[in-house]
């Protein structure tokens, strides 16, 4: 009797066991998380900037707006609940954005464990090189900003019934260092936004040379407009236009 192996059965050395990765933890999934959380944060930044600009309509109007924010959703929701829901969503968005960016950066570094002997000269702009450090600076600024104008712990007045007075006291001429820190943080945010917006426009298909130029211009205009809108308030206070 002659025995012949069954060729239809897989041999041990040909069996490959693959470890599947959750879709949300794949590179594509992480980029999607960054995109969604980035959109949430940008929409908040736009709405917050527009609200800040109401300070130019006068103290009564600005204070009314600030108190209205606390009453959104009432009587269905208790007072300030909407703000706490908003803060929770923003916190999740910030954590998700940072976590996704960190994981992508670590994977990118792990994919090239050995430095090239002769590295190609690649044009990498300032914003792209400092996205991670910029994110840390922005996070620290947000923490300070909350303790200053939200909870009032770092504000020289800290009166929750007078938001207009809190802003004026915060950016008073003698507190020029606060305005300087605010400006530096917002310029950093501008670089971050410009790079992020450019990447988003590219993902939407603007990958031809002409499309990339348009994407760069659009991203720059958006970042400058947003940062400029935020800086109007402290500079108006420090110059006496708002008092």
């Amino acid at each position: 009797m002659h025995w012949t192996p069954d060729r239809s059965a897989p041999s041990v050395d040909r069996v490959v066991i693959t470890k599947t990765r959750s879709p949300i933890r794949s590179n594509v999934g992480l980029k999607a998380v960054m995109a969604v959380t980035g959109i949430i944060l940008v929409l908040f930044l736009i709405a917050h900037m527009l609200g800040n600009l109401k300070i130019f309509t006068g103290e009564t109007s600005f204070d009314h707006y600030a108190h209205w924010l606390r009453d959104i959703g009432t009587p269905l929701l208790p007072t300030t609940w909407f703000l706490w829901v908003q803060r929770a969503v923003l916190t999740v968005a910030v954590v998700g954005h940072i976590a996704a960016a960190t994981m992508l950066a670590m994977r990118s570094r792990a994919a090239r464990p050995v430095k090239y002997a002769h590295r190609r000269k690649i044009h990498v702009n300032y914003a792209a090189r400092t996205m991670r450090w910029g994110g840390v600076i922005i996070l620290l600024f947000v923490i300070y900003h909350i303790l200053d104008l939200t909870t009032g712990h770092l504000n020289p007045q800290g009166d929750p019934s007078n938001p207009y007075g809190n802003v004026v006291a915060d950016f008073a001429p003698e507190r020029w260092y606060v305005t300087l820190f605010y400006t530096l943080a917002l310029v950093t945010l501008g670089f971050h936004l410009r790079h992020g917006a450019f990447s988003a426009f590219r993902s939407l298909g603007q990958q031809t040379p002409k499309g990339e130029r348009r994407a760069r211009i659009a991203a720059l205009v958006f970042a400058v407009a947003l940062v400029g809108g935020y800086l109007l308030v402290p500079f108006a206070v420090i110059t006496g236009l708002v008092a």
Side-chain angles (χ1 to χ4, degrees), residues 38-121:
I39 291 172
I40 292 173
L41 295 173
V42 167
L43 290 176
F44 168 76
L45 286 172
I46 294 173
H48 190 49
M49 180 199 70
L50 295 175
N52 287 353
L53 293 178
K54 287 188 69 66
I55 200 168
F56 294 103
T57 62
E59 182 174 0
T60 302
S61 178
F62 184 78
D63 284 350
H64 176 75
Y65 162 72
H67 292 305
W68 169 77
L69 289 176
R70 301 172 187 173
D71 295 333
I72 294 177
T74 57
L76 179 63
L77 296 175
T79 304
T80 73
W81 269 43
F82 173 82
L83 286 178
W84 283 109
V85 171
Q86 175 184 272
R87 290 164 185 164
V89 172
L90 291 174
T91 300
V92 171
V94 168
V95 172
H97 199 75
I98 293 175
T102 302
M103 292 179 69
L104 286 170
M106 291 175 63
R107 288 178 186 176
S108 177
R109 183 178 301 176
R112 296 190 301 272
V114 180
K115 293 184 178 181
Y116 296 111
H118 301 285
R119 299 188 65 174
R120 295 178 300 166
K121 293 182 179 180

Side-chain angles (χ1 to χ4, degrees), residues 9-191:
S11 60
V12 175
D13 60 342
R14 286 187 296 171
V15 175
V16 178
I17 300 176
T18 59
K19 183 180 180 179
T20 59
R21 178 181 290 169
S22 171
I24 199 171
R25 297 187 64 183
S26 66
N27 286 353
V28 174
L30 290 173
K31 290 179 180 178
V33 170
M34 285 196 68
V36 172
T37 54
I39 291 172
I40 292 173
L41 295 173
V42 167
L43 290 176
F44 168 76
L45 286 172
I46 294 173
H48 190 49
M49 180 199 70
L50 295 175
N52 287 353
L53 293 178
K54 287 188 69 66
I55 200 168
F56 294 103
T57 62
E59 182 174 0
T60 302
S61 178
F62 184 78
D63 284 350
H64 176 75
Y65 162 72
H67 292 305
W68 169 77
L69 289 176
R70 301 172 187 173
D71 295 333
I72 294 177
T74 57
L76 179 63
L77 296 175
T79 304
T80 73
W81 269 43
F82 173 82
L83 286 178
W84 283 109
V85 171
Q86 175 184 272
R87 290 164 185 164
V89 172
L90 291 174
T91 300
V92 171
V94 168
V95 172
H97 199 75
I98 293 175
T102 302
M103 292 179 69
L104 286 170
M106 291 175 63
R107 288 178 186 176
S108 177
R109 183 178 301 176
R112 296 190 301 272
V114 180
K115 293 184 178 181
Y116 296 111
H118 301 285
R119 299 188 65 174
R120 295 178 300 166
K121 293 182 179 180
I122 304 174
H123 174 71
V124 181
N125 58 38
Y126 176 80
R129 291 197 306 267
T130 58
M131 282 292 281
R132 278 170 286 179
W133 281 111
V136 173
I137 293 172
I138 293 167
L139 178 61
L140 293 177
F141 168 71
V142 168
I143 294 173
Y144 171 82
H145 192 59
I146 290 173
L147 293 174
D148 180 18
L149 291 174
T150 301
T151 67
H153 288 85
L154 299 180
N155 189 273
Q157 179 170 289
D159 182 3
S161 64
N162 186 12
Y164 183 95
N166 292 339
V167 174
V168 172
D170 196 38
F171 297 113
E174 62 272 17
R175 287 170 55 85
W176 58 267
Y177 49 89
V178 174
T179 300
L180 177 61
F181 174 57
Y182 192 83
T183 302
L184 292 176
L186 282 169
V187 170
T188 302
L189 174 64
F191 281 112

